[in-house]
Amino acid sequence: MPPRVAVIVFPGNNCELETARAVENAGMSAELFRWNRDAKELDQFDGFVVGGGFAYQDRVRSGAIAAKEPIMDGLARAAEAGKPILGICNGAQILVEAALVPAVRGSDSLDMALAPNRMVKNGHVVREGYFTDWRNLKNLAPPGRCAFNLDIPEGELLPMPFAHAEGRFTTADAKVREALVSGRHVVFAYATPSGEVHEEFPDCPNGSIFAAAAVCNVPGNVLAIMPHPERADTLKHVPSSFPGPYGLARRRAFGDPDALNRPGPGRRLFDSMRKFLREN
Amino acid sequence: MSRTFQVLVSLKIPDAVANTALNTIRRRMNLTEVASLSRAEWWCAEFDDACPDPQDRLRALVERTGLFMNPNKHRYQLIEGATPPPAPAGAAHILVVDREDTVGAAAQEAARAHPLAGGALRTLRRGVLWTLAAQPGQGKTSRQIAEELAVSTHRTAGLFSNPHYQDAILPP
C-alpha cells in the first residue's frame, strides 16, 4: 500500500489538484481533505500537504484565519507524532501562523511571520508587494535535516517558481533568529545560479531573513516552503531558458514528450516525503 | 512643526473581513461574548505647519485621487490629531500597524507627488483600526477582550496582529 497523504483544502485554496498530482507522481496516494471534516479523520493519514492559494481570501492576515480552524489541532497532533507535513506558499503561511514552524520555543509559540514582501537593494527598498518568478533554491541543510530533503545533497540547487505577496520569513525574537542558524532550520534558501545566497533583491525576491525560502520545525517533520514544488514537478515545468542542469535538461527534452514528463526539481521534495514515510 | 490628521475609511457595504474575523472569534476561539466587530482603514497624514489649508488638501486627496478609497463602496471620516478617536461607549479599539509600512510608504510617495498635496504632505502611515464590542454583563469587558485578541501568540490565542512584524496599539 502506498503511503496515504491528505492534501488539506481550505476555502480559497487553489492548488490542491496539482499538489495531489505531485504527491501521486511520487508514489503516494493523495486524498483531498476539506477543512470542515472532523479533524480526528486525519489520524488515518500518514502525511499531509497544505497547499497554496488564498485561504479565507487572506482576510485579517495570510493564514491567520485558517490557523484557528479545528483541523489545525489535528495537524498539530500529527506534527507531534512525527508525521511529515509540507506547507506550500499559503500552506506555509498557515503553518507559521499556527505556530507549527519553526516552533523553537515550543509547539504553541508563534515564533515567526511571513510578512509582506520588501525587496531591498543597497539599503533601499526597491520594490514591494506581489512578485512571481523562478529562482534556484539551495539546500542549506544536511540531507535528512527534514523529511523533505532526504536525498538532496547539501549545496544542490533546485529551480522552483514562487508567486506571493507575503513571503518574507521574519522574526522579532533574537533567540529564534539564533536558533534558526544553530538548528539549521533554513533548509532551502534563494540562491544565484552560481549558488551564492544574498538577502538582497533580486537574489532574494522578498527580503526574507537569511534569504530563507523554506523553514522546518525542530524535529524536521514539518516544512513551510514559499516556492511551489508542485509547479516544478516535471521537467516540462522548468523554463527552457533557466540556467543550470535542469534548464539544460529541459532544452534537450524539447520535442520529446517522454523526456518532458521526467521528474522535475520539485519532485525531489515529494520523493523525499515518500522515502521518509517508508523509513519511519 | 506639523499638523496631523487621520482618515478612517470604512466600507458602506458589508465587511466580509470583519465578519470572518468575528465568526472566528466567536466560533473558533470561543469568545461568544463578542457582539460586534468592525474595521476601518486608518491613515495618518502629517502636513507642514506652514500649509494654510491642510484639511482641505487632505480631503481633496481622499476624494479625488483614488489612493484612499472608492466612493462607490467606501465612506470616510477626517479627524485632527494622531490618536484614534475614543471607541463608542462599551467598545474598544485596536490599531494594527506594520512596522515596515510598505503600503503606507507607497501611498505616501504617490500622495506627496500629487499636485493636490501642494508639496505640504510630509508623511503618510497606514494601519487597520478594529472596533470590538462585547455584550455587557457577560464577564469580560470589551477592553479585556481587545487586549486578549490584539496580538497572536499561538494557535489558539490572539488574532489581530503578528508580533514579528506588526504592532497592536490599544488607544486609551
Side-chain angles (χ1 to χ4, degrees):
Chain A
M1 285 281 287
R4 290 186 72 196
V5 173
V7 176
I8 310 295
V9 184
F10 287 100
N13 282 157
N14 57 15
C15 300
E16 62 272 24
L17 294 179
E18 57 266 54
T19 302
R21 193 180 306 129
V23 167
E24 301 223 321
N25 286 345
M28 297 175 282
S29 152
E31 183 179 324
L32 301 187
F33 192 102
R34 298 196 186 279
W35 84 102
N36 51 2
R37 281 172 65 177
D38 188 341
K40 287 179 187 151
E41 292 180 51
L42 291 174
D43 295 346
Q44 311 160 29
F45 293 89
D46 305 305
F48 308 89
V49 184
V50 188
F54 304 87
Y56 290 98
Q57 211 183 26
D58 288 349
R59 290 174 187 174
V60 180
R61 191 171 62 252
S62 302
I65 296 291
K68 307 292 186 202
E69 287 290 335
I71 194 174
M72 296 309 295
D73 293 332
L75 281 186
R77 282 196 304 275
E80 279 184 26
K83 292 183 178 181
I85 305 174
L86 178 64
I88 302 169
C89 195
N90 188 223
Q93 293 163 338
I94 294 167
L95 294 184
V96 167
E97 284 286 343
L100 297 183
V101 174
V104 296
R105 283 190 179 272
S107 59
D108 265 341
S109 166
L110 183 67
D111 289 341
M112 291 195 92
L114 278 157
N117 296 347
R118 186 170 178 271
M119 298 79 145
V120 175
K121 189 170 176 66
N122 300 326
H124 298 285
V125 179
V126 292
R127 187 176 173 141
E128 56 215 356
Y130 180 83
F131 191 47
T132 179
D133 202 350
W134 282 68
R135 286 287 183 282
N136 280 298
L137 302 194
K138 184 174 186 176
N139 180 25
L140 292 186
R145 168 63 186 90
C146 85
F148 303 91
N149 79 335
L150 286 185
D151 283 332
I152 305 173
E154 196 169 341
E156 182 166 350
L157 300 177
L158 300 175
M160 235 168 269
F162 60 87
H164 55 248
E166 289 96 16
R168 177 165 56 100
F169 281 103
T170 189
T171 180
D173 186 329
K175 286 197 172 163
V176 171
R177 201 181 159 94
E178 271 176 45
L180 290 176
V181 177
S182 60
R184 318 259 328 232
H185 288 267
V186 179
V187 180
F188 296 107
Y190 299 102
T192 65
S194 57
E196 293 169 62
V197 174
H198 306 292
E199 285 188 12
E200 289 217 323
F201 186 78
D203 301 334
C204 175
N206 52 28
S208 276
I209 51 169
F210 311 121
V215 173
C216 72
N217 66 345
V218 175
N221 60 315
V222 185
L223 183 74
I225 182 168
M226 284 311 296
H228 285 264
E230 83 285 8
R231 295 183 192 172
D233 189 52
T234 61
L235 207 49
K236 71 183 170 209
H237 287 124
V238 179
S240 54
S241 59
F242 204 83
Y246 277 100
L248 179 64
R250 171 67 178 79
R251 288 191 292 278
R252 286 182 175 156
F254 182 77
D256 179 349
D258 290 338
L260 286 171
N261 282 320
R262 283 186 196 131
R267 182 79 58 87
R268 305 282 294 278
L269 277 73
F270 294 102
D271 284 343
S272 176
M273 184 183 191
R274 185 204 57 222
K275 185 174 180 186
F276 179 85
L277 285 169
R278 287 199 175 144
E279 291 178 355
N280 290 278
Chain B
M1 292 291 287
S2 63
R3 288 181 72 188
T4 306
F5 300 89
Q6 295 159 85
V7 179
L8 300 179
V9 177
S10 54
L11 283 164
K12 294 175 185 170
I13 57 175
D15 186 346
V17 174
N19 288 343
T20 300
L22 178 61
N23 192 41
T24 296
I25 290 164
R26 289 171 58 89
R27 294 183 57 200
R28 304 304 186 208
M29 304 177 78
N30 298 320
L31 290 164
T32 50
E33 59 267 53
V34 178
S36 70
L37 181 69
S38 61
R39 180 184 65 117
E41 199 164 8
W42 174 86
W43 296 92
C44 187
E46 186 191 7
F47 281 83
D48 284 338
D49 201 30
C51 176
D53 52 356
Q55 211 154 340
D56 293 340
R57 289 198 174 276
L58 183 56
R59 206 174 284 283
L61 282 167
V62 172
E63 292 178 3
R64 292 166 57 190
T65 63
L67 282 170
F68 300 86
M69 61 177 271
N70 177 340
N72 295 300
K73 62 175 181 176
H74 292 116
R75 63 169 71 90
Y76 79 95
Q77 189 187 354
L78 197 150
I79 305 153
E80 182 150 15
T83 312
H93 280 324
I94 305 158
L95 175 63
V96 176
V97 291
D98 288 11
R99 271 176 227 125
E100 290 155 340
D101 179 13
T102 54
V103 177
Q108 174 182 290
E109 193 179 338
R112 286 183 67 176
H114 202 285
L116 287 172
L121 177 64
R122 282 191 191 171
T123 62
L124 189 59
R125 287 179 295 146
R126 183 200 167 271
V128 175
L129 185 68
W130 298 90
T131 307
L132 176 151
Q135 282 168 350
Q138 297 284 311
K140 293 176 188 166
T141 64
S142 298
R143 176 85 185 183
Q144 286 169 329
I145 296 171
E147 284 170 358
E148 207 173 300
L149 289 172
V151 181
S152 191
T153 51
H154 60 83
R155 195 169 63 254
T156 54
L159 177 67
F160 293 115
S161 69
N162 183 317
H164 295 288
Y165 77 101
Q166 293 176 310
D167 289 318
I169 301 149
L170 273 73

